Amino acid sequence: MSTALPIHTPSGMTDRLTVLTLPPQLRAHISWLEQSFTATDYPDPARQNAARSELADRVEGLATVLAQASSAVRDDQAVVLRGLPAKSTAMVVAVASAIGPVVPSRPDRPLIDDLKPNPAADEQTRTGDLRVALTPHTDNSSVPAPPEVLLLAFVHNGTPDSGGESTLTHIDDVAEALDATDVELLQEPRYPSLNVPTDTGLAPTLTSVLARSADGRLTVRYRDAALDAGIASDLAPETPSAAHVNALHRFTATVREPARQTRVRLDTGDMLIIDNARFLHGRTEIEANAVRHLKRLYTRLNP
Ligand SMILES: O=C(O)CCC(=O)C(=O)O
Ligand SMILES: [Fe+2]
């Protein structure tokens, strides 16, 4: 089922967004779920599946919506699930596990990360806790295997005019706007990348911005700040050629064009789900004083 959602989109881009509504009866099962599925269970994929399937036995229509969400993500769609009791972490984890096992982005990171604008936030490590606009990026772009699926569950998102809208950029729409030579150059592993500042002091990894998966689709790993830091690092294993750097600059200019971005305002009870290798995501600036709270988690897409 599709529900109206405030979307600003260049023509044609709504093709990449699937909006689904969860059964309202879900809400009646929060306290039961929270008793049978607790924080110590969350990291265990078998417990995640058991909790979800018991929930689906109780809530008519849930299994169907979750199956639709899972196939839409695999079918190259950004998905917005509406009507999620996002305050309940048990609900968020159980529902997310329909896409794949819920896993931390890196072994040393929490399974669920609460993002809230915080004036005391470490400006470097906690970009999600700042109010500044975030340009389109891949989460954890520098690690050998970035998280496969990103899920953002919205507990609050200010008021309709307080900013904090999500931007989505599909890699095929970017590649289409680039010269074929740039698409080739960006697939060469010549780009030092460093998650800053958490990995400061480490040697940057050599990454390619684009790659082709076995089925021929383009995948992306890109964060401007990570590439800037990697390229500038004295520890970089090599320096990219001028041609590689120029291709990267054209890529950056293209992903930032509003014409390539779908902008969507998500609010309480919405969960955005994207393939982190097919979509770049960002966020518009958050107005001072706007109350905002997101739960961020990741799932596997592939076995
Ligand atoms: O705040 C948001 O909407 C997204 C935050 C984000 O993408 C990040 O911190 O990497
Ligand atoms: Fe992000």
Side-chain angles (χ1 to χ4, degrees):
M1 191 169 82
S2 173
T3 321
L5 187 74
I7 299 172
H8 310 266
T9 178
S11 61
M13 295 279 286
T14 41
D15 293 355
R16 303 213 185 267
L17 193 64
T18 294
V19 182
L20 298 163
T21 302
L22 292 162
Q25 297 80 356
L26 199 57
R27 205 158 282 284
H29 299 273
I30 296 173
S31 53
W32 164 78
L33 183 71
E34 288 183 343
Q35 279 160 35
S36 60
F37 183 52
T38 62
T40 50
D41 301 319
Y42 299 160
D44 179 353
R47 291 294 303 132
Q48 297 165 13
N49 281 339
R52 191 185 69 258
S53 91
E54 286 170 40
L55 191 61
D57 286 344
R58 288 163 187 251
V59 180
E60 200 188 329
L62 179 62
T64 308
V65 176
L66 295 182
Q68 287 169 340
S70 173
S71 70
V73 170
R74 287 166 171 81
D75 200 19
D76 234 5
Q77 294 280 296
V79 173
V80 176
L81 274 184
R82 313 210 83 185
L84 176 71
K87 234 161 74 174
S88 167
T89 303
M91 276 286 175
V92 172
V93 176
V95 165
S97 72
I99 309 300
V102 178
V103 288
S105 59
R106 297 163 65 151
D108 56 329
R109 298 284 164 87
L111 194 69
I112 300 119
D113 203 358
D114 287 286
L115 306 183
K116 291 178 185 177
N118 172 6
D122 176 338
E123 237 184 75
Q124 304 289 321
T125 50
R126 299 280 310 174
T127 49
D129 292 349
L130 304 176
R131 290 184 186 270
V132 294
L134 300 179
T135 50
H137 63 275
T138 309
D139 274 4
N140 284 274
S141 61
S142 304
V143 301
E148 293 176 356
V149 179
L150 163 67
L151 302 95
L152 294 174
F154 284 70
V155 184
H156 294 292
N157 196 13
T159 56
D161 57 359
S162 65
E165 295 182 345
S166 304
T167 69
L168 299 169
T169 309
H170 194 276
I171 195 53
D172 286 352
D173 295 328
V174 176
E176 193 177 277
L178 293 171
D179 283 348
T181 14
D182 284 348
V183 174
E184 291 308 315
L185 287 167
L186 291 162
Q187 288 179 67
E188 292 173 13
R190 295 281 176 273
Y191 296 94
S193 180
L194 192 63
N195 285 305
V196 274
T198 39
D199 294 341
T200 304
L202 302 179
T205 45
L206 268 185
T207 62
S208 67
V209 175
L210 299 176
R212 290 251 176 230
S213 59
D215 60 5
R217 301 193 309 170
L218 272 183
T219 61
V220 62
R221 57 158 81 209
Y222 169 81
R223 184 188 282 267
D224 47 6
L227 291 161
D228 290 348
I231 292 169
S233 167
D234 291 341
L235 300 174
E238 58 180 88
T239 314
S241 73
H244 288 95
V245 171
N246 289 336
L248 179 60
H249 288 163
R250 286 188 287 268
F251 182 90
T252 295
T254 305
V255 299
R256 291 189 185 181
E257 284 169 13
R260 321 245 165 251
Q261 294 175 14
T262 295
R263 208 167 87 231
V264 50
R265 201 196 128 66
L266 300 172
D267 210 339
T268 302
D270 291 333
M271 183 157 74
L272 174 67
I273 312 175
I274 55 166
D275 181 339
N276 192 39
R278 293 284 285 164
F279 285 90
L280 300 171
H281 66 280
R283 176 192 81 197
T284 65
E285 187 179 346
I286 304 163
E287 298 284 300
N289 302 323
V291 178
R292 197 167 181 274
H293 177 195
L294 272 58
K295 290 179 182 168
R296 177 172 60 193
L297 59 170
Y298 301 95
T299 70
R300 294 221 164 89
L301 186 63
N302 300 304

